[in-house]
Amino acid sequence: MLTRRRTLSILAATSGLLGLGGALPHDLVSEWRGPVLGAEGRMLLAGMARRRAREAIAMTLAEVERLEAVFSLYRPGSELSRLNAAGRIDGPSHELRVLIGRSLGYWRKTDGAFNPAVQPLWSFLARHFAANPAAEPDARRLADLVRLADPALISLGAGRISLAPGMALTLNGIAQGFITDRVAELLRGAGFADVLVDLGEFRALPGRRWTIGIEGGGGSVDIADCGLATSASAGTRFTADGRWHHLIDPQSGRSASGFASVTVSAASAAEADALATAFAVAGPSALTRLAQRFPGIAVKAVGAGVTPLSSPAA
Amino acid sequence: MGDRGLAGRLGPALGLMIAALALAFAALPAASDEAGDLRHVAAGLFGSPAQDMAVSPASGSPPAREVRRNARLIGYLASTAEVAHSVGYSGKPIDILVAIDPEARIVGTHLVSQSEPILTLGIDESDIARYVEGFAGYDLAKAVTKQGGKGLPDAISGATISSGVIRDGIIRTARAIAISRGLIAGGGERKLDMGHFAQQSWPQLAATDAIAHRRITLGDARKALSPDLFRTAGAPDAETFIELYLALLNPPSIGQNLLGQRDYNALMSRLSAGDTALFIAASGLYSFKGTAWRKTGRFERIEIIQGNHTITLDRSGYSNVGEVAAADAPSLREAGRFIIPAATSFDPTKPFRLSLLATSDLDGAGLAASFFVDYALPDAFLTGPAVETQAARQPLALWQENWRNRVPAIVFVSLLLAILAAVLVFQDWLAQHYRFYRWTRIGFLGVTLVVLGWGMGAQLSVVHVIAFAQALRTGFEWENFLLDPLIFILWSFVAIALLFWGRGVFCGWLCPFGALQELVNEAARALRIRQMPVPFGLHERLWPIKYVIFLGLFALSLQSISRAFVMAEVEPFKTAITLHFWRAWPFVAYAAALLAAGLVIERFYCRYLCPLGAALAIPARLRMFEWLKRRPQCGTECRICAARCTVGAIHPDGHINPNECIHCLNCQMLYYDTTTCPPLKARMARRAAHHAAVQRASEERQAP
């Protein structure tokens, strides 16, 4: 189980309010703390009367809860878990349909670096290293699972999604970004203009510019009206030496080794999330080629021995 | 008596006072109760061992912490500060944790923090605890109204207002949690207005948001899906991809207008209790129905989202709407009505969203995107008996209730103030009627002390000044100051009187402790206790003490208002007036020491220590009237007034210091007293002599 130690936070203010600084009347600032997405969360809403702010908080939490019940792999009853267990699902929710469709799009556009079908590889490696942390995994078994990690085997039909036998999907490389975007849009709909949502990935609305520090020595970046995501190999390590970790190259079945971390800013947090995962997997040799296909993004990669570089758009 | 001797005697008196004060503070209880481990609080309130208990973080709206014993939900913990936003007399939150069980009973309460001046000190901690605990067992389901709150504990004696705030906070918090968690039916729950019909056209319904609508252009859809969308049809970006309309059909003013009477009646007869019917219609290139539903029975392109629920729509609740009955409806490509069964727990009175799924190709593979139409039923369609009973039952705001419950006291205080105003207006006439005025004053002071002070607890205090200043800085709300009607009326009067005559109106007439000191001193004189004259030089140098105390309290309040309230115990008012000397002995000793000093130096406390007097003296410089009369000889030929002044407010040069004057009118009586005032006496003597001379002369003339 992934555990995040960081506090996830959502900051939102109505337009023009930030100029007031600390002079804001206290009844126009509402704060909430509690669990969100399995981590400690905090929401700070400014500029709205308490009652409406509480409604906005309740609405946000309800939406996150609803989307978790679609995408979470840690909940056996989630839609995605049910799809993986049964191999098919009739009448999927719009969100599951949308996100699998987008994942397939990124899979094609990143030459397979972003792959939602790596879940069987992931669970095999996680189980293997939990049992024998020192032993290399069986190469034949890996090769079998690599063949299964083929999104072309996903069938998206009218009102039904089905998978090939043995297949399983993970949306962990994009769902968090998707939820981040959704929360930001909900808060915009509720009347907030200056919004920064940090649910593991970041999303800022057009209101203002925010400075975000990148974990693992990546410095900081300014974002406005865009999403930002970081993929770091140190996120979840299978082995102590860091050679095996959660960023799995679907073509080899092994953990990617090119970068320590890749940070991407893109129009949405979902896209930033997916591309950060894809670039981290694809490695330095493919980065420039792939990044050129996504106009408007910016990339900051921190290499294991590779100098930081930027995409043409940065 | 020599100066040195007096200073020598005054020194120990002051020393004693300071010692008593220090003792009083040493006897204070520890500041505020720490929040403590919630689990242990919960264990205590729910009466279970702490190791079996789990308390979740506050969540939901209104926020509450779920309490579980061995994973089973046994109740909720909610904070009055978070839920009811209880604000006490101090303008600071009163935070009490209220424990509610699933049967909607208050199982217990726990005081976390409060900074009520009256409760900060003085009231026995156990009295507060006993009061707060007295709410345990209160059944919210049976006593839904506040008026029906039988079996609730009485107020803490001497702290009626704060008790009221506590009570109000606890009951409102418990009710809000019980209603929101579905433990009791909410008086505030709103229902669809099913009884009211008004003929309305489509544009009228759309204008009030009874019909929600959203237009998605082909450009929007191409951006989200694929630039090739409908490219073969040659459609431009500005063309409508889909224009969606969404309405709730249950209220007749919407449903009957849209469907027509016959279809609406048919629909209503089909609905079971709790079912909701929606109208969904669209025009444009894209169909929200699609065709797959004919095979699968499900409308996969549309979903209803409310809170964390997603509700799918299927053929069983669907029926095509051929023609919209409402006038001036737009031309629609497709329209349907959909029944959402009660089992989905969909609540038509709460906002919801329609999600529309669009795909880049018609077979449903490839990219997909969703678009939303938000819907919130306008208030006009929410009414019915539920709302009316709620309005009837709507408890008055706490301050309104306080005013209504204290009408006799309010009338009494108003009369008293009217009499005082008359005294001030007719002060010249009164001062000329020595005996009448003297008894009026003693009577008035007696009423101030016994009725206003001891009886009604209406003692103004420097605490109010601090709370007021604090409120001006942090957000002023009338409600907090209206909580106690008597204090509010008195302050209003004092504020006006301050501008007319200065601080004396309050200090000399309306301050119960002032009255107590003066009456005690009056008695001392009657018992021939010798008064201790304070030489003016020393007297004048002792005046600033009270200003220093006030400014100190004020400065402290900027840092910590509750600490300022504790330090405001310099005032013996709470001990002597509000609590009738029924208090821990150091406080009583301090108040008694002040009164003892007052036996030999009249109004000792007023003269040198009172921070409230100091606070009032500062704005009193603005006063408009100078009605206290003086003679040119005052201070040069005669200093009788200065010697007789209650508080020594008359300088040796004869002028009256308005910062010190308590407006007792002693000097005015002397002004008119032909037997005491030397210039007046001299004039009378001259007049008498003249008169005698005239008389003598006329007698002589008449003599033969």
Side-chain angles (χ1 to χ4, degrees):
Chain A
M1 162 107 194
L2 276 173
T3 46
R4 292 187 215 91
R5 272 158 219 92
R6 199 149 67 88
T7 301
L8 304 181
S9 58
I10 295 170
L11 309 169
T14 52
S15 187
L17 201 107
L18 291 159
L20 283 175
L24 208 61
H26 71 287
D27 57 341
L28 286 183
V29 181
S30 302
E31 190 175 11
W32 172 90
R33 281 172 189 277
V36 60
L37 289 175
E40 193 186 321
R42 184 174 90 109
M43 291 181 77
L44 193 65
L45 305 189
M48 209 164 267
R50 282 273 163 79
R51 208 179 69 82
R52 282 186 58 206
R54 279 201 300 272
E55 282 169 8
I57 290 169
M59 173 191 75
T60 303
L61 295 174
E63 185 67 359
V64 171
E65 162 73 25
R66 195 177 71 85
L67 295 177
E68 257 195 297
V70 174
F71 300 126
S72 174
L73 282 174
Y74 308 117
R75 298 184 179 195
S78 77
E79 241 186 303
L80 186 59
S81 297
R82 284 186 285 127
L83 169 64
N84 285 343
R88 59 179 260 185
I89 196 159
D90 286 321
S93 70
H94 290 180
E95 280 80 11
L96 187 64
R97 174 65 188 77
V98 166
L99 215 49
I100 290 179
R102 285 178 76 172
S103 296
L104 289 175
Y106 289 122
W107 171 64
R108 290 190 198 100
K109 256 182 126 172
T110 60
D111 295 346
F114 182 85
N115 185 330
V118 294
Q119 180 61 17
L121 267 172
W122 199 95
S123 13
F124 165 70
L125 290 174
R127 272 199 313 273
H128 168 83
F129 286 111
N132 338 279
E136 284 288 299
D138 176 32
R140 278 237 304 273
R141 182 94 177 89
L142 275 184
D144 287 346
L145 291 171
V146 163
R147 270 191 294 281
L148 260 184
D150 183 2
L153 301 173
I154 303 170
S155 143
L156 281 179
R160 173 181 298 177
I161 299 169
S162 45
L163 308 176
M167 254 186 117
L169 305 186
T170 170
L171 296 173
N172 288 353
I174 189 169
Q176 221 164 306
F178 179 83
I179 296 174
T180 305
D181 287 329
R182 179 62 62 79
V183 166
E185 282 148 22
L186 277 180
L187 289 170
R188 175 175 13 219
F192 292 97
D194 301 329
V195 173
L196 178 68
V197 180
D198 165 17
L199 292 173
E201 320 305 342
F202 293 88
R203 173 67 190 269
L205 290 188
R208 58 162 280 178
R209 181 164 287 276
W210 307 81
T211 300
I212 312 288
I214 299 171
E215 289 164 54
S220 70
V221 283
D222 280 3
I223 62 168
D225 189 18
C226 66
L228 182 84
T230 297
S231 243
S233 58
T236 302
R237 289 184 175 186
F238 291 139
T239 56
D241 62 7
R243 241 167 20 88
W244 289 88
H245 52 80
H246 72 129
L247 292 170
I248 298 164
D249 180 352
Q251 265 118 42
S252 66
R254 297 175 168 274
S255 293
S257 56
F259 294 119
S261 84
V262 178
T263 299
V264 176
S265 77
S268 69
E271 176 155 302
D273 195 4
L275 294 184
T277 309
F279 297 162
V281 165
S285 58
L287 176 61
T288 312
R289 178 170 51 87
L290 293 182
Q292 271 165 345
R293 297 179 187 174
F294 299 91
I297 65 163
V299 185
K300 197 165 196 176
V302 178
V306 179
T307 44
L309 47 96
S310 296
S311 83
Chain B
M1 183 187 313
D3 280 12
R4 182 168 298 181
L6 176 94
R9 258 186 279 170
L10 209 58
L14 269 174
L16 188 73
M17 218 74 68
I18 290 162
L21 200 61
L23 265 174
F25 286 118
L28 290 184
S32 79
D33 195 5
E34 271 294 315
D37 184 0
L38 266 181
R39 215 152 56 96
H40 287 280
V41 172
L45 291 173
F46 286 92
S48 302
Q51 66 266 24
D52 297 344
M53 310 282 279
V55 182
S56 75
S59 64
S61 175
R65 297 159 185 80
E66 291 182 354
V67 181
R68 289 171 192 278
R69 178 168 52 216
N70 301 324
R72 199 170 59 83
L73 182 72
I74 56 165
Y76 301 89
L77 268 185
S79 138
T80 54
E82 285 170 16
V83 177
H85 302 287
S86 290
V87 174
Y89 205 82
S90 56
K92 291 272 163 185
I94 294 188
D95 193 2
I96 297 165
L97 280 173
V98 185
I100 304 129
D101 72 8
E103 276 76 53
R105 278 187 309 253
I106 298 179
V107 296
T109 54
H110 172 79
L111 181 69
V112 179
S113 69
Q114 51 89 9
S115 18
E116 291 301 89
I118 186 73
L119 301 182
T120 307
L121 277 173
I123 306 270
D124 200 337
E125 287 284 292
S126 65
D127 279 349
I128 307 175
R130 204 176 310 120
Y131 177 72
V132 169
E133 281 157 15
F135 291 88
Y138 182 68
D139 191 335
L140 293 155
K142 290 196 180 121
V144 283
T145 64
K146 201 156 71 170
Q147 286 78 10
K150 291 184 197 78
L152 289 178
D154 294 333
I156 306 169
S157 67
T160 328
I161 298 298
S162 299
S163 309
V165 175
I166 289 176
R167 190 179 108 129
D168 183 68
I170 291 177
I171 300 297
R172 274 202 297 138
T173 300
R175 268 179 60 72
I177 298 304
I179 291 169
S180 64
R181 289 354 185 229
L183 311 181
I184 58 172
E189 208 169 298
R190 303 199 291 179
K191 294 246 163 75
L192 297 178
D193 178 4
M194 299 303 291
H196 179 243
F197 173 75
Q199 188 84 41
Q200 283 187 302
S201 68
W202 179 289
Q204 285 173 316
L205 288 170
T208 59
D209 290 334
I211 302 173
H213 119 275
R214 181 168 178 203
R215 176 168 175 264
I216 297 150
T217 64
L218 192 50
D220 298 334
R222 279 173 175 159
K223 211 173 132 202
L225 294 168
S226 151
D228 300 328
L229 208 62
F230 291 98
R231 201 57 90 185
T232 47
D237 274 0
E239 185 144 344
T240 302
F241 175 66
I242 187 168
E243 184 151 19
L244 272 165
Y245 301 94
L246 174 63
L248 197 69
L249 285 171
N250 298 48
S253 289
I254 306 175
Q256 193 172 325
N257 277 318
L258 284 177
L259 302 178
Q261 193 173 2
R262 198 176 53 99
D263 285 358
Y264 177 74
N265 288 347
L267 170 65
M268 285 298 119
S269 64
R270 235 199 100 173
L271 293 185
S272 311
D275 288 357
T276 307
L278 296 181
F279 171 84
I280 305 173
S283 58
L285 296 165
Y286 188 73
S287 162
F288 72 82
K289 287 182 190 169
T291 51
W293 66 275
R294 292 181 201 277
K295 279 182 284 172
T296 62
R298 277 176 42 109
F299 292 91
E300 71 259 0
R301 292 184 178 182
I302 44 175
E303 271 176 2
I304 299 298
I305 297 167
Q306 186 174 54
N308 55 11
H309 295 291
T310 311
I311 297 158
T312 55
L313 302 170
D314 63 31
R315 146 193 279 165
S316 67
Y318 164 72
S319 135
N320 186 51
V321 175
E323 199 170 330
V324 173
D328 305 321
S331 80
L332 299 170
R333 166 190 168 142
E334 53 190 349
R337 68 114 175 94
F338 297 83
I339 295 173
I340 299 177
T344 58
S345 66
F346 178 79
D347 182 348
T349 65
K350 301 262 160 65
F352 60 94
R353 275 187 291 163
L354 170 73
S355 169
L356 173 83
L357 185 76
T359 47
S360 58
D361 41 15
L362 292 174
D363 62 359
L367 270 183
S370 49
F371 300 95
F372 300 106
V373 187
D374 290 306
Y375 192 89
L377 189 66
D379 274 346
F381 302 94
L382 289 166
T383 171
V387 172
E388 276 154 30
T389 42
Q390 194 241 342
R393 214 195 280 151
Q394 179 85 53
L396 288 172
L398 188 58
W399 72 266
Q400 289 167 313
E401 203 173 287
N402 286 340
W403 282 69
R404 210 169 57 172
N405 293 343
R406 301 197 72 182
V407 168
I410 291 168
V411 170
F412 172 82
V413 170
S414 306
L415 278 175
L416 194 69
L417 294 179
I419 292 170
L420 177 55
V423 166
L424 294 166
V425 170
F426 300 109
Q427 52 179 273
D428 287 343
W429 182 86
L430 279 164
Q432 291 169 52
H433 297 78
Y434 174 81
R435 290 180 66 87
F436 177 71
Y437 174 73
R438 207 177 129 69
W439 288 111
T440 304
R441 177 154 174 85
I442 288 180
F444 196 101
L445 290 180
V447 170
T448 296
L449 173 62
V450 177
V451 185
L452 203 61
W454 286 336
M456 298 174 170
Q459 164 80 61
L460 303 192
S461 154
V462 72
V463 159
H464 301 132
V465 179
I466 292 172
F468 185 79
Q470 173 89 359
L472 290 181
R473 288 193 304 119
T474 59
F476 185 81
E477 278 180 65
W478 278 109
E479 277 81 354
N480 291 341
F481 295 93
L482 287 165
L483 274 175
D484 189 330
L486 301 186
I487 300 288
F488 182 81
I489 293 171
L490 284 170
W491 266 116
S492 307
F493 183 88
V494 168
I496 294 166
L498 205 57
L499 291 179
F500 288 172
W501 300 287
R503 67 172 274 213
V505 177
F506 169 72
C507 299
W509 295 87
L510 293 171
C511 177
F513 188 74
L516 176 62
Q517 289 179 91
E518 192 165 327
L519 294 174
V520 163
N521 183 267
E522 199 79 46
R525 284 168 201 264
L527 294 171
R528 310 205 171 271
I529 293 180
R530 222 172 55 158
Q531 298 295 298
M532 188 194 293
V534 190
F536 195 81
L538 175 63
H539 175 58
E540 199 176 30
R541 281 165 183 76
L542 293 175
W543 282 346
I545 297 176
K546 57 178 175 288
Y547 294 97
V548 172
I549 294 177
F550 170 69
L551 291 174
L553 285 175
F554 188 79
L556 188 59
S557 79
L558 299 179
Q559 187 246 331
S560 158
I561 193 153
S562 51
R563 232 176 271 168
F565 285 158
V566 172
M567 293 311 288
E569 286 293 332
V570 185
E571 277 184 344
F573 300 170
K574 197 153 80 184
T575 309
I577 306 298
T578 328
L579 299 174
H580 312 128
F581 293 100
W582 191 252
R583 210 176 176 188
W585 70 265
F587 294 102
V588 177
Y590 172 64
L594 290 175
L595 287 173
L599 290 174
V600 290
I601 299 175
E602 187 167 14
R603 285 190 180 246
F604 173 85
Y605 175 76
C606 305
R607 292 179 183 212
Y608 307 126
L609 298 177
C610 183
L612 177 60
L616 292 175
I618 295 166
R621 300 208 83 104
L622 298 169
R623 78 202 179 285
M624 300 182 215
F625 302 139
E626 296 287 359
W627 285 0
L628 299 180
K629 297 199 167 124
R630 305 300 285 149
R631 296 185 190 282
Q633 297 89 339
C634 293
T636 49
E637 293 172 15
C638 159
R639 286 181 187 158
I640 293 181
C641 293
R644 296 266 190 98
C645 179
T646 330
V647 287
I650 302 177
H651 285 248
D653 66 6
H655 102 266
I656 300 173
N657 187 334
N659 285 351
E660 303 299 320
C661 170
I662 61 153
H663 226 96
C664 65
L665 303 183
N666 270 357
C667 56
Q668 299 305 292
M669 286 191 298
L670 291 168
Y671 179 93
Y672 289 113
D673 187 344
T674 49
T675 61
T676 315
C677 181
L680 193 57
K681 254 162 63 183
R683 194 199 297 168
M684 294 312 276
R686 272 200 309 278
R687 197 175 292 168
H690 175 73
H691 197 74
V694 169
Q695 195 146 4
R696 221 172 18 250
S698 74
E699 274 168 15
E700 276 166 16
R701 238 180 280 136
Q702 278 166 18

